[in-house]
């Protein structure tokens, strides 16, 4: 049933990065249609990006151990099943059917899963396909069955690249490439208190449950790299996790002896808080939750164990050294992303020695960094997609309401 007032819009997303993309679109939609009733269903995780904006949540979450990446590893898929994945999917399926009649339009952000939920809820929808594109191997591209399912109630799809949009259009899905919403809203939070002539390496532990373990590994990697550089070459290291990072748990984990050296910590001077770690060799590592953009824009090189943040770093033109995370986004995930990044990143599957060598090589090779910058910007494309998607939502809402 179509409402007589403004169209009721439901955002569906299945991951932290997807939540962030949806939130960027919502910010613009609210500027255009302040009275538009908006609800959300973050299908994986807590949906912090929606909660920060006071947006109502309507469906049950999935807190599976793999955090949505179970298909990349049988080990993690089995953990998901043991943790109740089948029951979670059943509850989400039932909840989707109960949404019928409550909304006029859905915006599905991610992959086929939120699109299927929109279909189950009997909702026309716009699809923001940020998870798959033509640069991936076959597993990361849209398959024929997926495209048949997507086109059934899809009013329009926004693809990550022109080739993917063309392929979707040939399958009957009205699709466009209007830029990359991942590249929107990447403004620095605040300048970092680092001398302008000091090189910086940004390190990204990600936003998932393994972020603390990832951050600890990155600190060890920073110390090992610094030990292999002469004092004038040594950069300032900035670990930049999400705002939700458990800084207290990190400090408890990292504060003990490591390779015979006791790390000491002091509060960081950065706005919003953080911690500065030093060791007896004079290595300085700042851990600054919520300062991802400031750190990456200031960096010569980025070392990443993240998902969306790795891609955004590449899109900002920063050479990336990509490492497997300690959690579900391990080597399988890294190999899949290597197909996407191409010449914009160096992929190191294992061994801190190889990672140290990769970072040092990039710090000493400005010509290669320049080539990687150009490759990354071409790969990820320009910002501006969130505005185009918000315009499309407004147009669809007007067609669906009296």
């Amino acid at each position: 049933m179509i409402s007589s007032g403004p169209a009721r819009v439901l955002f569906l997303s299945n991951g932290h990065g997807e939540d962030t993309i949806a939130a960027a679109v919502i910010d613009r939609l609210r500027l255009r249609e302040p009275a538009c009733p908006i609800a959300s269903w973050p299908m994986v995780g807590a949906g912090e990006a929606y909660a920060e904006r006071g947006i109502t949540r309507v469906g049950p979450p999935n807190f599976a151990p793999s955090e949505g990446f179970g298909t990349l590893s049988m080990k993690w898929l089995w953990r998901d099943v043991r943790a109740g994945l089948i029951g979670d999917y059943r509850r989400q399926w039932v909840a989707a059917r109960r949404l019928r009649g409550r909304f006029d339009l859905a915006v599905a952000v991610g992959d086929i899963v939120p699109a299927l939920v929109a279909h189950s809820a009997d909702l026309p929808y716009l699809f923001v396909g940020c998870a798959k594109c033509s640069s991936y191997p076959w597993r990361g591209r849209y398959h024929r069955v997926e495209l048949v399912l997507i086109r059934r109630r899809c009013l329009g799809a926004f693809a990550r690249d022109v080739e993917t949009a063309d392929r979707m259009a040939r399958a009957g899905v009205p699709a466009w490439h209007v830029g990359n919403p991942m590249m929107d809203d990447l403004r620095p939070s605040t300048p970092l208190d680092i001398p302008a002539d000091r090189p910086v390496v940004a390190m990204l532990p990600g936003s998932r449950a393994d972020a603390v373990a990832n951050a600890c590994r990155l600190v060890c990697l920073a110390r090992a790299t610094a030990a292999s550089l002469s004092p004038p070459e040594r950069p300032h290291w900035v670990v930049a996790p999400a705002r939700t990072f458990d800084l207290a748990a990190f400090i408890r984990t990292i504060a003990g002896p490591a390779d015979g050296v006791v790390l000491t910590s002091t509060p960081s001077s950065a706005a919003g808080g953080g911690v500065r770690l030093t060791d007896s060799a004079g290595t300085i590592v700042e851990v600054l939750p919520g300062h991802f953009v400031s750190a990456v824009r200031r960096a010569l090189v980025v070392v990443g164990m993240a998902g969306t943040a790795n891609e955004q770093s590449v899109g900002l033109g920063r050479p990336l050294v990509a490492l497997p995370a300690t959690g579900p986004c391990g080597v399988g995930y890294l190999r899949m992303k290597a197909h996407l990044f191409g010449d914009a990143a160096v992929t190191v599957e294992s061994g801190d020695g190889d990672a140290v060598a990769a970072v040092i090589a990039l710090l000493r090779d400005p010509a290669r960094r320049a080539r990687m910058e150009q490759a990354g910007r071409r790969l990820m494309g320009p910002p501006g997609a969130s505005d185009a998607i918000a315009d499309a939502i407004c147009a669809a809402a007007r067609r669906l309401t009296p």
Side-chain angles (χ1 to χ4, degrees):
M1 180 178 67
I2 301 298
S3 62
S4 58
R8 302 161 298 180
V9 181
L10 172 64
F11 280 79
L12 304 156
S13 52
N14 61 333
H16 174 82
E18 289 81 354
D19 296 347
T20 303
I21 290 170
V25 175
I26 288 171
D27 290 341
R28 290 155 174 80
L29 179 59
R30 283 176 160 174
L31 292 175
R32 291 159 171 77
E33 297 289 345
C36 177
I38 300 172
S40 69
W41 187 352
M43 302 185 66
V44 176
E48 290 93 348
Y50 295 116
E52 290 172 359
R53 290 161 174 77
I55 297 171
T56 301
R57 180 178 193 152
V58 300
N62 176 341
F63 290 108
S66 75
E67 300 180 77
F69 291 93
T71 58
L72 296 177
S73 163
M74 288 302 298
K75 178 184 74 173
W76 284 100
L77 180 59
W78 176 238
R79 289 184 183 183
D80 286 355
V81 172
R82 292 182 63 186
L85 178 68
I86 296 174
D88 287 342
Y89 277 155
R90 181 180 180 278
R91 283 187 290 275
Q92 290 186 330
W93 174 262
V94 171
R97 295 179 67 83
R98 289 176 177 169
L99 291 175
R100 293 182 176 183
R102 293 177 55 186
F103 298 94
D104 305 306
L105 175 68
V107 182
V109 183
D111 55 23
I112 188 65
V113 175
L116 289 177
V117 170
H119 186 268
S120 300
D122 203 25
L123 284 171
Y125 69 96
L126 293 167
F127 179 58
V128 183
C130 56
K132 295 191 173 187
C133 72
S134 61
S135 298
Y136 285 132
W138 70 271
R139 185 170 60 179
R141 302 185 183 192
Y142 294 107
H143 302 160
R144 183 176 300 176
V145 173
E146 290 179 303
L147 294 173
V148 169
L149 292 171
I150 289 172
R151 75 186 183 196
R152 295 181 68 179
R153 296 188 65 84
C154 184
L155 303 178
F158 300 91
R160 285 187 52 155
D161 57 74
V162 173
E163 183 178 340
T164 302
D166 289 345
R167 183 165 185 264
M168 297 179 83
R170 290 194 300 270
V173 179
W176 309 274
H177 173 62
V178 294
N180 192 334
M182 289 186 191
M183 302 312 300
D184 292 331
D185 296 337
L186 296 181
R187 296 181 292 271
S189 52
T190 184
L192 300 181
D193 186 19
I194 301 172
D197 60 348
R198 184 80 183 273
V200 172
V201 173
M203 311 186 87
L204 310 178
S207 59
R208 300 180 178 89
D210 59 353
V212 168
N214 292 341
C216 290
R217 185 189 171 196
L218 290 172
V219 170
C220 293
L221 180 65
R223 291 181 52 234
T225 307
S228 301
L229 293 168
S230 64
E233 292 180 297
R234 290 175 185 169
H236 193 107
W237 307 88
V238 180
V239 179
R243 286 192 300 274
T244 54
F245 183 71
D246 192 340
L247 190 60
F250 167 78
I251 293 172
R252 289 194 302 269
T253 305
I254 202 70
D259 299 328
V261 178
V262 177
L263 295 173
T264 59
S265 64
T266 58
S268 171
S269 61
V275 66
R276 174 173 290 198
L277 306 173
T278 58
D279 65 13
S280 59
T283 307
I284 299 175
V285 183
E286 288 197 89
V287 183
L288 304 177
H291 288 264
F292 154 70
V293 178
S294 296
V296 169
R297 285 192 177 276
R298 182 66 173 78
L300 288 180
V301 175
V302 174
V303 183
M305 303 172 75
T308 300
N310 275 12
E311 297 185 44
Q312 290 171 321
S313 298
V314 165
L316 289 171
R318 298 302 180 265
L320 173 70
V321 177
L323 308 179
T326 57
C329 294
V331 173
Y333 179 79
L334 190 68
R335 289 174 179 171
M336 181 181 71
K337 289 296 181 181
H339 288 276
L340 172 68
F341 291 138
D343 294 336
V346 177
T347 299
V348 180
E349 292 189 6
S350 63
D352 283 357
D354 291 340
V356 167
V359 173
I360 291 175
L362 286 175
L363 287 173
R364 291 173 173 172
D365 193 343
R368 186 182 182 191
R369 294 201 306 270
R371 292 193 299 271
M372 294 176 74
E373 174 182 355
Q374 294 175 0
R377 293 187 187 278
R378 284 196 304 268
L379 169 70
M380 294 300 293
S386 297
D387 284 296
I389 296 167
D391 288 338
I393 295 170
C394 291
R398 285 192 291 268
R399 292 196 302 268
L400 292 169
T401 53

